[in-house]
Amino acid sequence: MTPALRTEDYVKYLSPEVISRVSSLELRARLVVEGFLVGLHRSPYHGFSVEFSQRRPYMQGDPLKNVDWKAYGKTDRYFVKQYEEETNLRAYFFLDLSRSMAFGSKGMPTKLDYGKSLLASLAYLSLKQRDAVGLTLFSDRPISVAPPKAAPSHLKTILAELANAESEGKTDAATALDEVAESSNRRGLVVVVSDFFDDLDRTLGSLKRFRFKGHETVVFRILDPAETRFDFRRDATFLDMETGEKLATHPGQIRRAYLDAIREHLE
């Protein structure tokens, strides 16, 4: 009999380098999520629950598990608890496909691959919890929109969309967010994955629209270590992956200004 993996075993397998070598998004998602759940010792169905509504008199044939024994102790009469099923969570996932997301320094997955793994894992987890998941792929415009569904078979749709997604265009999160916000009247969870090399005032304005409509918003900013450390030492030509603009310089001459600029942008 094969022994079960321990939590520390899963953690060992969950590094970005290891995950990036697993070609199947479905396998990647399962590895991340099931390892995560093992680490937390939680059921994959913790997102599904019910809310107490009222009591009614017991009738023959009612399940005994629903009898309110506390009420019986006080009244000497049998009552049954009635529950109102909570509306499952509706999750709206957004993934940036702009050309800057195709960057990955040596030995690292690209930002796009990392984002795909992240959303594949969240979709796998959400659908296991019977929540509805939708996916919008965008660059300077919405490229594809898969409306939220809770069916287990919807996972294949989400994973296929992610697997076939390729980087194109410039970053413009606000346009995609605004389009989905118009039709998302039911409150839910909004998850945006991007490097946010974008007009942040417009993006934050769009996120506030979701918050105003009662949505919970979560932002995952994906950056490569080279973009935050700028550890380049030799003369180099830097290429803007979205505009094609080139800059030939010695990194030491611009390092301080670059780090100040990226820090300000992050803040």
Side-chain angles (χ1 to χ4, degrees):
M1 181 176 178
T2 303
L5 283 177
R6 299 166 300 175
T7 301
E8 53 267 32
D9 294 325
Y10 271 104
V11 171
K12 179 174 65 177
Y13 296 132
L14 295 181
S15 70
E17 294 83 358
V18 172
I19 294 298
S20 67
R21 291 199 292 268
V22 182
S23 58
S24 167
L25 274 174
E26 186 169 9
L27 184 57
R28 263 189 260 177
R30 188 178 304 139
L31 178 65
V32 172
V33 169
E34 292 181 356
F36 173 71
L37 292 174
V38 166
L40 290 182
H41 303 288
R42 294 175 70 176
S43 163
Y45 298 104
H46 65 270
F48 185 80
S49 58
V50 292
E51 184 177 329
F52 175 74
S53 177
Q54 61 182 357
R55 296 180 181 86
R56 64 167 174 79
Y58 174 82
M59 299 178 63
Q60 188 173 357
D62 284 332
L64 290 178
K65 66 178 182 179
N66 293 338
V67 172
D68 189 335
W69 296 108
K70 288 185 178 180
Y72 172 77
K74 293 178 180 178
T75 64
D76 203 30
R77 296 175 59 192
Y78 292 105
F79 290 91
V80 172
K81 295 179 181 179
Q82 287 187 306
Y83 295 88
E84 180 178 329
E85 191 174 292
E86 287 184 352
T87 302
N88 288 3
L89 177 72
R90 180 166 290 205
Y92 302 88
F93 295 162
F94 293 82
L95 177 62
D96 178 7
L97 299 187
S98 62
R99 284 191 286 265
S100 63
M101 290 289 287
F103 179 73
S105 55
K106 187 176 181 180
M108 295 294 292
T110 66
K111 292 184 286 183
L112 181 56
D113 280 340
Y114 197 98
K116 287 181 179 183
S117 295
L118 172 59
L119 288 185
S121 303
L122 290 176
Y124 182 90
L125 175 62
S126 299
L127 288 165
K128 250 193 166 183
Q129 293 176 175
R130 305 173 193 173
D131 296 327
V133 175
L135 174 67
T136 298
L137 304 175
F138 71 92
S139 57
D140 51 359
R141 70 191 191 287
I143 295 171
S144 71
V145 179
K149 293 182 182 179
S153 60
H154 191 49
L155 179 62
K156 289 186 177 180
T157 300
I158 297 294
L159 294 178
E161 289 280 344
L162 290 171
N164 295 325
E166 296 182 356
S167 56
E168 60 175 277
K170 301 179 182 180
T171 310
D172 184 357
T175 298
L177 289 166
D178 288 343
E179 182 170 304
V180 175
E182 287 294 329
S183 57
S184 60
N185 296 319
R186 184 172 162 186
R187 289 186 297 175
L189 173 68
V190 175
V191 177
V192 187
V193 176
S194 173
D195 56 15
F196 292 98
F197 291 149
D198 195 1
D199 182 337
L200 290 184
D201 289 334
R202 289 186 61 234
T203 301
L204 289 171
S206 298
L207 288 170
K208 287 177 181 178
R209 289 186 63 192
F210 277 105
R211 290 300 300 270
F212 180 76
K213 298 181 80 168
H215 297 279
E216 183 69 24
T217 58
V218 178
V219 166
F220 288 97
R221 180 165 206 172
I222 310 295
L223 293 178
D224 186 271
E227 294 173 325
T228 56
R229 298 172 187 163
F230 205 72
D231 288 332
F232 302 101
R233 301 299 175 188
R234 302 176 181 175
D235 287 351
T237 299
F238 294 94
L239 172 69
D240 186 322
M241 299 176 71
E242 297 193 358
T243 66
E245 183 182 354
K246 295 181 180 180
L247 174 65
T249 184
H250 188 283
Q253 296 176 345
I254 64 171
R255 187 171 190 272
R256 176 49 52 196
Y258 173 86
L259 291 176
D260 288 343
I262 197 75
R263 188 179 302 112
E264 182 181 350
H265 196 64
L266 287 168
E267 289 173 355

PDB file of all heavy atoms in Angstrom, residues 30 101 127 131-132 137 146 148 207 213 237 263:
ATOM      1  N   ARG A  30      -4.750  20.254  -9.801  1.00  0.00           N
ATOM      2  CA  ARG A  30      -5.034  19.241  -8.784  1.00  0.00           C
ATOM      3  C   ARG A  30      -3.886  19.154  -7.778  1.00  0.00           C
ATOM      4  O   ARG A  30      -4.098  19.043  -6.575  1.00  0.00           O
ATOM      5  CB  ARG A  30      -5.252  17.889  -9.467  1.00  0.00           C
ATOM      6  CG  ARG A  30      -5.756  16.807  -8.503  1.00  0.00           C
ATOM      7  CD  ARG A  30      -5.992  15.498  -9.227  1.00  0.00           C
ATOM      8  NE  ARG A  30      -6.909  15.672 -10.330  1.00  0.00           N
ATOM      9  CZ  ARG A  30      -6.761  15.089 -11.517  1.00  0.00           C
ATOM     10  NH1 ARG A  30      -5.719  14.328 -11.759  1.00  0.00           N
ATOM     11  NH2 ARG A  30      -7.652  15.284 -12.465  1.00  0.00           N
ATOM     12  N   MET A 101       3.177  39.980 -20.276  1.00  0.00           N
ATOM     13  CA  MET A 101       2.979  38.796 -19.445  1.00  0.00           C
ATOM     14  C   MET A 101       3.774  37.596 -19.974  1.00  0.00           C
ATOM     15  O   MET A 101       3.901  36.586 -19.286  1.00  0.00           O
ATOM     16  CB  MET A 101       1.495  38.452 -19.372  1.00  0.00           C
ATOM     17  CG  MET A 101       0.658  39.426 -18.567  1.00  0.00           C
ATOM     18  SD  MET A 101       0.968  39.326 -16.783  1.00  0.00           S
ATOM     19  CE  MET A 101       0.152  37.781 -16.386  1.00  0.00           C
ATOM     20  N   LEU A 127     -14.835  25.075  -8.103  1.00  0.00           N
ATOM     21  CA  LEU A 127     -15.827  24.145  -8.635  1.00  0.00           C
ATOM     22  C   LEU A 127     -15.969  22.923  -7.740  1.00  0.00           C
ATOM     23  O   LEU A 127     -17.049  22.330  -7.655  1.00  0.00           O
ATOM     24  CB  LEU A 127     -15.469  23.744 -10.066  1.00  0.00           C
ATOM     25  CG  LEU A 127     -15.691  24.877 -11.078  1.00  0.00           C
ATOM     26  CD1 LEU A 127     -15.001  24.590 -12.402  1.00  0.00           C
ATOM     27  CD2 LEU A 127     -17.180  25.121 -11.300  1.00  0.00           C
ATOM     28  N   ASP A 131     -19.027  26.189  -6.343  1.00  0.00           N
ATOM     29  CA  ASP A 131     -19.202  27.599  -6.670  1.00  0.00           C
ATOM     30  C   ASP A 131     -19.178  27.768  -8.188  1.00  0.00           C
ATOM     31  O   ASP A 131     -18.662  26.920  -8.912  1.00  0.00           O
ATOM     32  CB  ASP A 131     -18.089  28.440  -6.043  1.00  0.00           C
ATOM     33  CG  ASP A 131     -18.114  28.396  -4.521  1.00  0.00           C
ATOM     34  OD1 ASP A 131     -19.221  28.301  -3.973  1.00  0.00           O
ATOM     35  OD2 ASP A 131     -17.042  28.454  -3.898  1.00  0.00           O
ATOM     36  N   ALA A 132     -19.747  28.867  -8.661  1.00  0.00           N
ATOM     37  CA  ALA A 132     -19.757  29.162 -10.096  1.00  0.00           C
ATOM     38  C   ALA A 132     -18.516  29.962 -10.458  1.00  0.00           C
ATOM     39  O   ALA A 132     -18.111  30.872  -9.733  1.00  0.00           O
ATOM     40  CB  ALA A 132     -21.016  29.949 -10.462  1.00  0.00           C
ATOM     41  N   LEU A 137     -10.503  36.606 -20.472  1.00  0.00           N
ATOM     42  CA  LEU A 137      -9.131  36.812 -20.922  1.00  0.00           C
ATOM     43  C   LEU A 137      -9.074  38.163 -21.615  1.00  0.00           C
ATOM     44  O   LEU A 137      -9.942  38.480 -22.436  1.00  0.00           O
ATOM     45  CB  LEU A 137      -8.716  35.695 -21.888  1.00  0.00           C
ATOM     46  CG  LEU A 137      -8.855  34.257 -21.365  1.00  0.00           C
ATOM     47  CD1 LEU A 137      -8.523  33.257 -22.462  1.00  0.00           C
ATOM     48  CD2 LEU A 137      -7.960  34.026 -20.155  1.00  0.00           C
ATOM     49  N   ALA A 146     -16.009  33.593 -20.640  1.00  0.00           N
ATOM     50  CA  ALA A 146     -16.772  32.391 -20.299  1.00  0.00           C
ATOM     51  C   ALA A 146     -17.620  32.730 -19.079  1.00  0.00           C
ATOM     52  O   ALA A 146     -17.077  32.959 -17.999  1.00  0.00           O
ATOM     53  CB  ALA A 146     -15.832  31.226 -19.996  1.00  0.00           C
ATOM     54  N   PRO A 148     -19.982  32.671 -15.718  1.00  0.00           N
ATOM     55  CA  PRO A 148     -19.879  31.787 -14.546  1.00  0.00           C
ATOM     56  C   PRO A 148     -20.863  30.614 -14.610  1.00  0.00           C
ATOM     57  O   PRO A 148     -22.045  30.796 -14.912  1.00  0.00           O
ATOM     58  CB  PRO A 148     -20.217  32.707 -13.371  1.00  0.00           C
ATOM     59  CG  PRO A 148     -19.949  34.080 -13.863  1.00  0.00           C
ATOM     60  CD  PRO A 148     -20.283  34.059 -15.321  1.00  0.00           C
ATOM     61  N   LEU A 207     -12.157  48.650 -10.513  1.00  0.00           N
ATOM     62  CA  LEU A 207     -12.286  47.765  -9.361  1.00  0.00           C
ATOM     63  C   LEU A 207     -13.263  48.351  -8.339  1.00  0.00           C
ATOM     64  O   LEU A 207     -14.029  47.617  -7.700  1.00  0.00           O
ATOM     65  CB  LEU A 207     -10.919  47.546  -8.718  1.00  0.00           C
ATOM     66  CG  LEU A 207      -9.941  46.669  -9.500  1.00  0.00           C
ATOM     67  CD1 LEU A 207      -8.551  46.735  -8.878  1.00  0.00           C
ATOM     68  CD2 LEU A 207     -10.425  45.226  -9.556  1.00  0.00           C
ATOM     69  N   LYS A 213     -20.817  47.609  -6.239  1.00  0.00           N
ATOM     70  CA  LYS A 213     -21.915  46.664  -6.486  1.00  0.00           C
ATOM     71  C   LYS A 213     -21.916  45.511  -5.502  1.00  0.00           C
ATOM     72  O   LYS A 213     -22.716  44.582  -5.625  1.00  0.00           O
ATOM     73  CB  LYS A 213     -21.825  46.140  -7.922  1.00  0.00           C
ATOM     74  CG  LYS A 213     -21.966  47.227  -8.983  1.00  0.00           C
ATOM     75  CD  LYS A 213     -21.893  46.684 -10.391  1.00  0.00           C
ATOM     76  CE  LYS A 213     -23.215  46.085 -10.823  1.00  0.00           C
ATOM     77  NZ  LYS A 213     -23.254  45.803 -12.269  1.00  0.00           N
ATOM     78  N   THR A 237      20.449  46.130 -24.295  1.00  0.00           N
ATOM     79  CA  THR A 237      19.343  46.775 -24.988  1.00  0.00           C
ATOM     80  C   THR A 237      18.054  46.206 -24.425  1.00  0.00           C
ATOM     81  O   THR A 237      17.815  44.996 -24.481  1.00  0.00           O
ATOM     82  CB  THR A 237      19.407  46.519 -26.506  1.00  0.00           C
ATOM     83  OG1 THR A 237      20.620  47.070 -27.024  1.00  0.00           O
ATOM     84  CG2 THR A 237      18.216  47.168 -27.203  1.00  0.00           C
ATOM     85  N   ARG A 263       8.908  50.954  -7.477  1.00  0.00           N
ATOM     86  CA  ARG A 263       8.403  51.022  -6.098  1.00  0.00           C
ATOM     87  C   ARG A 263       7.186  51.954  -6.031  1.00  0.00           C
ATOM     88  O   ARG A 263       6.178  51.632  -5.383  1.00  0.00           O
ATOM     89  CB  ARG A 263       9.506  51.520  -5.169  1.00  0.00           C
ATOM     90  CG  ARG A 263       9.132  51.437  -3.681  1.00  0.00           C
ATOM     91  CD  ARG A 263      10.281  51.927  -2.802  1.00  0.00           C
ATOM     92  NE  ARG A 263      11.496  51.156  -3.028  1.00  0.00           N
ATOM     93  CZ  ARG A 263      12.591  51.627  -3.587  1.00  0.00           C
ATOM     94  NH1 ARG A 263      12.633  52.893  -3.989  1.00  0.00           N
ATOM     95  NH2 ARG A 263      13.663  50.877  -3.746  1.00  0.00           N
TER      96      ARG A 263
END
